[in-house]
Amino acid sequence: MSIPQEAIKLNLKPNQSLLRGRVNVIRKAEEFFYTEVTLPAPDEYSQPAVVEIRSRKRIGQAGDTVECLVGCGGYRGKPFNYTDKDTGERFTRRPVVNAYHAVEE
């Protein structure tokens, strides 16, 4: 696995990433800001990804293009029952929720 030159320059630690995108919405809950960011699509036929970054300080304004160093984490969500439409077999699924928090000095 090769490490991109930009990551070497940033001295990224394990489970960190640099996210770049456009701010859609910012909400504040207790001491944290939650910033919804649309990342650029990899090509003109793909849908862009949308992520939410938790931070103690505000990250830009709606419409701004921002770049943010984040720690990557997540958790397992609540289990739910799922029925396969083809076979009728029932499964219990448990989604994985990705979480990103700004690395703040």
mmCIF file of all heavy atoms in Angstrom, residues 61-103:
data_model
loop_
_atom_site.group_PDB
_atom_site.id
_atom_site.type_symbol
_atom_site.label_atom_id
_atom_site.label_comp_id
_atom_site.label_asym_id
_atom_site.label_seq_id
_atom_site.Cartn_x
_atom_site.Cartn_y
_atom_site.Cartn_z
ATOM 1 N N GLN A 61 -18.731 28.659 6.632
ATOM 2 C CA GLN A 61 -20.128 29.064 6.507
ATOM 3 C C GLN A 61 -20.761 28.244 5.387
ATOM 4 O O GLN A 61 -20.059 27.704 4.539
ATOM 5 C CB GLN A 61 -20.230 30.560 6.141
ATOM 6 C CG GLN A 61 -19.545 31.504 7.113
ATOM 7 C CD GLN A 61 -20.267 31.566 8.435
ATOM 8 O OE1 GLN A 61 -21.479 31.397 8.506
ATOM 9 N NE2 GLN A 61 -19.526 31.797 9.514
ATOM 10 N N ALA A 62 -22.088 28.187 5.367
ATOM 11 C CA ALA A 62 -22.783 27.477 4.284
ATOM 12 C C ALA A 62 -22.329 28.039 2.939
ATOM 13 O O ALA A 62 -22.253 29.250 2.756
ATOM 14 C CB ALA A 62 -24.286 27.621 4.449
ATOM 15 N N GLY A 63 -21.962 27.147 2.026
ATOM 16 C CA GLY A 63 -21.497 27.540 0.699
ATOM 17 C C GLY A 63 -19.988 27.628 0.568
ATOM 18 O O GLY A 63 -19.462 27.649 -0.537
ATOM 19 N N ASP A 64 -19.269 27.684 1.689
ATOM 20 C CA ASP A 64 -17.804 27.752 1.649
ATOM 21 C C ASP A 64 -17.213 26.404 1.255
ATOM 22 O O ASP A 64 -17.752 25.355 1.592
ATOM 23 C CB ASP A 64 -17.228 28.099 3.022
ATOM 24 C CG ASP A 64 -17.441 29.542 3.435
ATOM 25 O OD1 ASP A 64 -17.939 30.335 2.616
ATOM 26 O OD2 ASP A 64 -17.114 29.871 4.599
ATOM 27 N N THR A 65 -16.078 26.448 0.573
ATOM 28 C CA THR A 65 -15.288 25.248 0.343
ATOM 29 C C THR A 65 -14.266 25.193 1.466
ATOM 30 O O THR A 65 -13.549 26.173 1.707
ATOM 31 C CB THR A 65 -14.596 25.292 -1.030
ATOM 32 O OG1 THR A 65 -15.606 25.329 -2.045
ATOM 33 C CG2 THR A 65 -13.718 24.067 -1.243
ATOM 34 N N VAL A 66 -14.238 24.064 2.176
ATOM 35 C CA VAL A 66 -13.369 23.937 3.344
ATOM 36 C C VAL A 66 -12.470 22.717 3.210
ATOM 37 O O VAL A 66 -12.754 21.801 2.441
ATOM 38 C CB VAL A 66 -14.187 23.835 4.658
ATOM 39 C CG1 VAL A 66 -14.962 25.111 4.906
ATOM 40 C CG2 VAL A 66 -15.102 22.634 4.652
ATOM 41 N N GLU A 67 -11.404 22.724 3.980
ATOM 42 C CA GLU A 67 -10.486 21.596 4.077
ATOM 43 C C GLU A 67 -10.277 21.365 5.563
ATOM 44 O O GLU A 67 -10.012 22.311 6.307
ATOM 45 C CB GLU A 67 -9.178 21.968 3.390
ATOM 46 C CG GLU A 67 -8.231 20.844 3.185
ATOM 47 C CD GLU A 67 -7.071 21.267 2.303
ATOM 48 O OE1 GLU A 67 -7.211 21.226 1.072
ATOM 49 O OE2 GLU A 67 -6.032 21.636 2.882
ATOM 50 N N CYS A 68 -10.432 20.112 6.015
ATOM 51 C CA CYS A 68 -10.395 19.847 7.446
ATOM 52 C C CYS A 68 -9.699 18.513 7.718
ATOM 53 O O CYS A 68 -10.046 17.497 7.108
ATOM 54 C CB CYS A 68 -11.824 19.820 7.994
ATOM 55 S SG CYS A 68 -11.936 19.643 9.769
ATOM 56 N N LEU A 69 -8.739 18.535 8.643
ATOM 57 C CA LEU A 69 -8.100 17.314 9.108
ATOM 58 C C LEU A 69 -9.034 16.672 10.120
ATOM 59 O O LEU A 69 -9.477 17.336 11.064
ATOM 60 C CB LEU A 69 -6.754 17.633 9.753
ATOM 61 C CG LEU A 69 -5.973 16.450 10.309
ATOM 62 C CD1 LEU A 69 -5.587 15.480 9.195
ATOM 63 C CD2 LEU A 69 -4.741 16.945 11.049
ATOM 64 N N VAL A 70 -9.382 15.404 9.911
ATOM 65 C CA VAL A 70 -10.340 14.724 10.785
ATOM 66 C C VAL A 70 -9.783 13.405 11.297
ATOM 67 O O VAL A 70 -8.928 12.793 10.668
ATOM 68 C CB VAL A 70 -11.688 14.446 10.074
ATOM 69 C CG1 VAL A 70 -12.369 15.729 9.657
ATOM 70 C CG2 VAL A 70 -11.510 13.519 8.888
ATOM 71 N N GLY A 71 -10.301 13.015 12.439
ATOM 72 C CA GLY A 71 -10.100 11.669 12.952
ATOM 73 C C GLY A 71 -11.285 10.842 12.500
ATOM 74 O O GLY A 71 -12.425 11.322 12.499
ATOM 75 N N CYS A 72 -11.045 9.628 12.075
ATOM 76 C CA CYS A 72 -12.106 8.765 11.562
ATOM 77 C C CYS A 72 -12.487 7.747 12.634
ATOM 78 O O CYS A 72 -11.622 7.110 13.220
ATOM 79 C CB CYS A 72 -11.636 8.024 10.314
ATOM 80 S SG CYS A 72 -11.029 9.117 9.028
ATOM 81 N N GLY A 73 -13.764 7.627 12.868
ATOM 82 C CA GLY A 73 -14.255 6.671 13.850
ATOM 83 C C GLY A 73 -15.610 6.166 13.424
ATOM 84 O O GLY A 73 -16.013 6.313 12.277
ATOM 85 N N GLY A 74 -16.347 5.610 14.361
ATOM 86 C CA GLY A 74 -17.675 5.129 14.063
ATOM 87 C C GLY A 74 -18.166 4.196 15.142
ATOM 88 O O GLY A 74 -17.486 3.953 16.135
ATOM 89 N N TYR A 75 -19.363 3.711 14.928
ATOM 90 C CA TYR A 75 -19.975 2.808 15.901
ATOM 91 C C TYR A 75 -21.006 1.950 15.189
ATOM 92 O O TYR A 75 -21.415 2.239 14.061
ATOM 93 C CB TYR A 75 -20.618 3.591 17.048
ATOM 94 C CG TYR A 75 -21.665 4.593 16.602
ATOM 95 C CD1 TYR A 75 -23.001 4.242 16.538
ATOM 96 C CD2 TYR A 75 -21.305 5.877 16.232
ATOM 97 C CE1 TYR A 75 -23.963 5.145 16.112
ATOM 98 C CE2 TYR A 75 -22.247 6.790 15.807
ATOM 99 C CZ TYR A 75 -23.571 6.424 15.758
ATOM 100 O OH TYR A 75 -24.516 7.321 15.326
ATOM 101 N N ARG A 76 -21.434 0.894 15.869
ATOM 102 C CA ARG A 76 -22.463 0.017 15.330
ATOM 103 C C ARG A 76 -23.819 0.555 15.744
ATOM 104 O O ARG A 76 -24.050 0.828 16.928
ATOM 105 C CB ARG A 76 -22.252 -1.406 15.839
ATOM 106 C CG ARG A 76 -20.933 -1.992 15.312
ATOM 107 C CD ARG A 76 -20.661 -3.356 15.823
ATOM 108 N NE ARG A 76 -21.575 -4.268 15.137
ATOM 109 C CZ ARG A 76 -21.840 -5.481 15.545
ATOM 110 N NH1 ARG A 76 -21.299 -5.946 16.642
ATOM 111 N NH2 ARG A 76 -22.668 -6.258 14.872
ATOM 112 N N GLY A 77 -24.716 0.722 14.788
ATOM 113 C CA GLY A 77 -26.050 1.250 15.053
ATOM 114 C C GLY A 77 -26.981 0.199 15.643
ATOM 115 O O GLY A 77 -26.590 -0.940 15.898
ATOM 116 N N LYS A 78 -28.235 0.597 15.830
ATOM 117 C CA LYS A 78 -29.243 -0.311 16.375
ATOM 118 C C LYS A 78 -29.561 -1.412 15.375
ATOM 119 O O LYS A 78 -29.724 -1.151 14.183
ATOM 120 C CB LYS A 78 -30.523 0.446 16.689
ATOM 121 C CG LYS A 78 -30.406 1.398 17.840
ATOM 122 C CD LYS A 78 -31.750 2.051 18.108
ATOM 123 C CE LYS A 78 -31.656 3.008 19.272
ATOM 124 N NZ LYS A 78 -32.960 3.627 19.548
ATOM 125 N N PRO A 79 -29.706 -2.647 15.846
ATOM 126 C CA PRO A 79 -30.065 -3.733 14.931
ATOM 127 C C PRO A 79 -31.504 -3.594 14.446
ATOM 128 O O PRO A 79 -32.349 -3.022 15.135
ATOM 129 C CB PRO A 79 -29.897 -4.997 15.771
ATOM 130 C CG PRO A 79 -29.772 -4.564 17.175
ATOM 131 C CD PRO A 79 -29.474 -3.112 17.207
ATOM 132 N N PHE A 80 -31.743 -4.073 13.236
ATOM 133 C CA PHE A 80 -33.096 -4.081 12.674
ATOM 134 C C PHE A 80 -33.281 -5.365 11.890
ATOM 135 O O PHE A 80 -32.318 -5.998 11.464
ATOM 136 C CB PHE A 80 -33.344 -2.846 11.803
ATOM 137 C CG PHE A 80 -32.483 -2.788 10.565
ATOM 138 C CD1 PHE A 80 -32.929 -3.306 9.353
ATOM 139 C CD2 PHE A 80 -31.223 -2.217 10.613
ATOM 140 C CE1 PHE A 80 -32.143 -3.256 8.219
ATOM 141 C CE2 PHE A 80 -30.421 -2.153 9.475
ATOM 142 C CZ PHE A 80 -30.884 -2.671 8.281
ATOM 143 N N ASN A 81 -34.536 -5.750 11.711
ATOM 144 C CA ASN A 81 -34.853 -6.963 10.959
ATOM 145 C C ASN A 81 -35.037 -6.625 9.486
ATOM 146 O O ASN A 81 -35.590 -5.583 9.140
ATOM 147 C CB ASN A 81 -36.120 -7.629 11.508
ATOM 148 C CG ASN A 81 -35.887 -8.187 12.893
ATOM 149 O OD1 ASN A 81 -34.823 -8.710 13.171
ATOM 150 N ND2 ASN A 81 -36.871 -8.056 13.758
ATOM 151 N N TYR A 82 -34.591 -7.540 8.644
ATOM 152 C CA TYR A 82 -34.642 -7.356 7.200
ATOM 153 C C TYR A 82 -35.119 -8.666 6.575
ATOM 154 O O TYR A 82 -34.679 -9.742 6.967
ATOM 155 C CB TYR A 82 -33.244 -6.994 6.687
ATOM 156 C CG TYR A 82 -33.091 -7.062 5.194
ATOM 157 C CD1 TYR A 82 -33.596 -6.066 4.368
ATOM 158 C CD2 TYR A 82 -32.434 -8.134 4.596
ATOM 159 C CE1 TYR A 82 -33.448 -6.136 2.992
ATOM 160 C CE2 TYR A 82 -32.283 -8.208 3.228
ATOM 161 C CZ TYR A 82 -32.793 -7.206 2.434
ATOM 162 O OH TYR A 82 -32.660 -7.266 1.076
ATOM 163 N N THR A 83 -36.043 -8.575 5.609
ATOM 164 C CA THR A 83 -36.513 -9.753 4.891
ATOM 165 C C THR A 83 -36.029 -9.680 3.453
ATOM 166 O O THR A 83 -36.295 -8.699 2.743
ATOM 167 C CB THR A 83 -38.056 -9.834 4.908
ATOM 168 O OG1 THR A 83 -38.495 -9.828 6.268
ATOM 169 C CG2 THR A 83 -38.551 -11.084 4.217
ATOM 170 N N ASP A 84 -35.312 -10.720 3.027
ATOM 171 C CA ASP A 84 -34.837 -10.797 1.648
ATOM 172 C C ASP A 84 -36.048 -10.948 0.741
ATOM 173 O O ASP A 84 -36.839 -11.876 0.895
ATOM 174 C CB ASP A 84 -33.888 -11.986 1.496
ATOM 175 C CG ASP A 84 -33.251 -12.035 0.118
ATOM 176 O OD1 ASP A 84 -33.996 -12.093 -0.878
ATOM 177 O OD2 ASP A 84 -32.016 -12.035 0.064
ATOM 178 N N LYS A 85 -36.205 -10.036 -0.232
ATOM 179 C CA LYS A 85 -37.376 -10.044 -1.119
ATOM 180 C C LYS A 85 -37.419 -11.267 -2.029
ATOM 181 O O LYS A 85 -38.491 -11.724 -2.403
ATOM 182 C CB LYS A 85 -37.411 -8.763 -1.965
ATOM 183 C CG LYS A 85 -37.653 -7.532 -1.134
ATOM 184 C CD LYS A 85 -37.609 -6.282 -1.991
ATOM 185 C CE LYS A 85 -37.761 -5.055 -1.127
ATOM 186 N NZ LYS A 85 -37.542 -3.829 -1.853
ATOM 187 N N ASP A 86 -36.262 -11.789 -2.386
ATOM 188 C CA ASP A 86 -36.211 -12.935 -3.293
ATOM 189 C C ASP A 86 -36.498 -14.256 -2.586
ATOM 190 O O ASP A 86 -37.223 -15.103 -3.100
ATOM 191 C CB ASP A 86 -34.847 -13.010 -3.984
ATOM 192 C CG ASP A 86 -34.602 -11.824 -4.894
ATOM 193 O OD1 ASP A 86 -35.584 -11.267 -5.426
ATOM 194 O OD2 ASP A 86 -33.425 -11.450 -5.058
ATOM 195 N N THR A 87 -35.922 -14.429 -1.387
ATOM 196 C CA THR A 87 -36.031 -15.730 -0.715
ATOM 197 C C THR A 87 -37.021 -15.734 0.451
ATOM 198 O O THR A 87 -37.429 -16.795 0.908
ATOM 199 C CB THR A 87 -34.663 -16.167 -0.160
ATOM 200 O OG1 THR A 87 -34.265 -15.246 0.863
ATOM 201 C CG2 THR A 87 -33.611 -16.217 -1.258
ATOM 202 N N GLY A 88 -37.384 -14.552 0.948
ATOM 203 C CA GLY A 88 -38.266 -14.469 2.112
ATOM 204 C C GLY A 88 -37.540 -14.730 3.424
ATOM 205 O O GLY A 88 -38.139 -14.686 4.492
ATOM 206 N N GLU A 89 -36.248 -14.998 3.356
ATOM 207 C CA GLU A 89 -35.466 -15.265 4.562
ATOM 208 C C GLU A 89 -35.298 -13.982 5.369
ATOM 209 O O GLU A 89 -35.085 -12.904 4.827
ATOM 210 C CB GLU A 89 -34.091 -15.806 4.151
ATOM 211 C CG GLU A 89 -33.266 -16.304 5.301
ATOM 212 C CD GLU A 89 -31.957 -16.943 4.832
ATOM 213 O OE1 GLU A 89 -31.715 -17.044 3.615
ATOM 214 O OE2 GLU A 89 -31.179 -17.336 5.713
ATOM 215 N N ARG A 90 -35.416 -14.112 6.709
ATOM 216 C CA ARG A 90 -35.286 -12.953 7.598
ATOM 217 C C ARG A 90 -33.879 -12.907 8.196
ATOM 218 O O ARG A 90 -33.336 -13.926 8.592
ATOM 219 C CB ARG A 90 -36.328 -13.005 8.708
ATOM 220 C CG ARG A 90 -37.751 -12.822 8.173
ATOM 221 C CD ARG A 90 -38.802 -12.822 9.261
ATOM 222 N NE ARG A 90 -38.565 -11.903 10.366
ATOM 223 C CZ ARG A 90 -38.916 -10.603 10.367
ATOM 224 N NH1 ARG A 90 -39.499 -10.088 9.310
ATOM 225 N NH2 ARG A 90 -38.682 -9.855 11.425
ATOM 226 N N PHE A 91 -33.337 -11.698 8.223
ATOM 227 C CA PHE A 91 -32.011 -11.460 8.781
ATOM 228 C C PHE A 91 -32.094 -10.331 9.792
ATOM 229 O O PHE A 91 -32.968 -9.479 9.710
ATOM 230 C CB PHE A 91 -31.018 -11.005 7.695
ATOM 231 C CG PHE A 91 -30.782 -11.999 6.621
ATOM 232 C CD1 PHE A 91 -31.474 -11.921 5.418
ATOM 233 C CD2 PHE A 91 -29.843 -12.996 6.780
ATOM 234 C CE1 PHE A 91 -31.250 -12.831 4.409
ATOM 235 C CE2 PHE A 91 -29.605 -13.913 5.769
ATOM 236 C CZ PHE A 91 -30.316 -13.832 4.584
ATOM 237 N N THR A 92 -31.166 -10.312 10.716
ATOM 238 C CA THR A 92 -30.982 -9.161 11.583
ATOM 239 C C THR A 92 -29.740 -8.436 11.099
ATOM 240 O O THR A 92 -28.675 -9.040 10.966
ATOM 241 C CB THR A 92 -30.812 -9.587 13.051
ATOM 242 O OG1 THR A 92 -31.991 -10.270 13.463
ATOM 243 C CG2 THR A 92 -30.594 -8.387 13.956
ATOM 244 N N ARG A 93 -29.886 -7.163 10.786
ATOM 245 C CA ARG A 93 -28.776 -6.339 10.301
ATOM 246 C C ARG A 93 -28.442 -5.301 11.358
ATOM 247 O O ARG A 93 -29.301 -4.882 12.124
ATOM 248 C CB ARG A 93 -29.153 -5.601 9.011
ATOM 249 C CG ARG A 93 -29.500 -6.501 7.867
ATOM 250 C CD ARG A 93 -28.246 -6.911 7.155
ATOM 251 N NE ARG A 93 -28.609 -7.621 5.940
ATOM 252 C CZ ARG A 93 -28.005 -8.703 5.531
ATOM 253 N NH1 ARG A 93 -27.026 -9.215 6.213
ATOM 254 N NH2 ARG A 93 -28.374 -9.294 4.431
ATOM 255 N N ARG A 94 -27.201 -4.900 11.371
ATOM 256 C CA ARG A 94 -26.770 -3.856 12.286
ATOM 257 C C ARG A 94 -25.872 -2.909 11.489
ATOM 258 O O ARG A 94 -24.741 -3.271 11.140
ATOM 259 C CB ARG A 94 -26.014 -4.482 13.449
ATOM 260 C CG ARG A 94 -25.763 -3.519 14.555
ATOM 261 C CD ARG A 94 -25.389 -4.245 15.811
ATOM 262 N NE ARG A 94 -25.327 -3.278 16.875
ATOM 263 C CZ ARG A 94 -25.046 -3.583 18.112
ATOM 264 N NH1 ARG A 94 -24.825 -4.827 18.443
ATOM 265 N NH2 ARG A 94 -25.002 -2.653 19.018
ATOM 266 N N PRO A 95 -26.360 -1.696 11.188
ATOM 267 C CA PRO A 95 -25.569 -0.787 10.356
ATOM 268 C C PRO A 95 -24.335 -0.267 11.087
ATOM 269 O O PRO A 95 -24.296 -0.221 12.319
ATOM 270 C CB PRO A 95 -26.536 0.369 10.073
ATOM 271 C CG PRO A 95 -27.488 0.346 11.217
ATOM 272 C CD PRO A 95 -27.617 -1.097 11.614
ATOM 273 N N VAL A 96 -23.338 0.110 10.329
ATOM 274 C CA VAL A 96 -22.142 0.757 10.855
ATOM 275 C C VAL A 96 -22.245 2.236 10.479
ATOM 276 O O VAL A 96 -22.471 2.575 9.326
ATOM 277 C CB VAL A 96 -20.858 0.142 10.260
ATOM 278 C CG1 VAL A 96 -19.629 0.926 10.684
ATOM 279 C CG2 VAL A 96 -20.744 -1.318 10.667
ATOM 280 N N VAL A 97 -22.110 3.099 11.469
ATOM 281 C CA VAL A 97 -22.223 4.545 11.257
ATOM 282 C C VAL A 97 -20.825 5.150 11.348
ATOM 283 O O VAL A 97 -20.141 4.997 12.367
ATOM 284 C CB VAL A 97 -23.152 5.182 12.314
ATOM 285 C CG1 VAL A 97 -23.262 6.678 12.100
ATOM 286 C CG2 VAL A 97 -24.524 4.523 12.272
ATOM 287 N N ASN A 98 -20.390 5.801 10.265
ATOM 288 C CA ASN A 98 -19.079 6.460 10.254
ATOM 289 C C ASN A 98 -19.182 7.805 10.962
ATOM 290 O O ASN A 98 -20.173 8.517 10.810
ATOM 291 C CB ASN A 98 -18.597 6.672 8.823
ATOM 292 C CG ASN A 98 -18.359 5.353 8.128
ATOM 293 O OD1 ASN A 98 -17.748 4.461 8.691
ATOM 294 N ND2 ASN A 98 -18.830 5.224 6.907
ATOM 295 N N ALA A 99 -18.156 8.168 11.707
ATOM 296 C CA ALA A 99 -18.128 9.444 12.426
ATOM 297 C C ALA A 99 -16.786 10.124 12.187
ATOM 298 O O ALA A 99 -15.736 9.466 12.233
ATOM 299 C CB ALA A 99 -18.349 9.202 13.917
ATOM 300 N N TYR A 100 -16.827 11.413 11.931
ATOM 301 C CA TYR A 100 -15.616 12.191 11.705
ATOM 302 C C TYR A 100 -15.585 13.357 12.691
ATOM 303 O O TYR A 100 -16.574 14.051 12.861
ATOM 304 C CB TYR A 100 -15.572 12.750 10.270
ATOM 305 C CG TYR A 100 -15.672 11.666 9.241
ATOM 306 C CD1 TYR A 100 -16.881 11.384 8.607
ATOM 307 C CD2 TYR A 100 -14.563 10.908 8.902
ATOM 308 C CE1 TYR A 100 -16.977 10.372 7.676
ATOM 309 C CE2 TYR A 100 -14.649 9.889 7.969
ATOM 310 C CZ TYR A 100 -15.859 9.639 7.357
ATOM 311 O OH TYR A 100 -15.957 8.634 6.437
ATOM 312 N N HIS A 101 -14.453 13.548 13.342
ATOM 313 C CA HIS A 101 -14.303 14.678 14.259
ATOM 314 C C HIS A 101 -13.074 15.467 13.858
ATOM 315 O O HIS A 101 -12.032 14.899 13.499
ATOM 316 C CB HIS A 101 -14.226 14.211 15.729
ATOM 317 C CG HIS A 101 -13.081 13.292 15.997
ATOM 318 N ND1 HIS A 101 -13.159 11.923 15.811
ATOM 319 C CD2 HIS A 101 -11.814 13.533 16.428
ATOM 320 C CE1 HIS A 101 -11.999 11.368 16.113
ATOM 321 N NE2 HIS A 101 -11.170 12.323 16.483
ATOM 322 N N ALA A 102 -13.210 16.794 13.874
ATOM 323 C CA ALA A 102 -12.107 17.655 13.483
ATOM 324 C C ALA A 102 -10.951 17.494 14.450
ATOM 325 O O ALA A 102 -11.140 17.415 15.662
ATOM 326 C CB ALA A 102 -12.578 19.110 13.448
ATOM 327 N N VAL A 103 -9.737 17.429 13.910
ATOM 328 C CA VAL A 103 -8.538 17.407 14.738
ATOM 329 C C VAL A 103 -8.209 18.862 15.022
ATOM 330 O O VAL A 103 -7.826 19.610 14.123
ATOM 331 C CB VAL A 103 -7.364 16.697 14.027
ATOM 332 C CG1 VAL A 103 -6.099 16.782 14.850
ATOM 333 C CG2 VAL A 103 -7.738 15.245 13.735
#
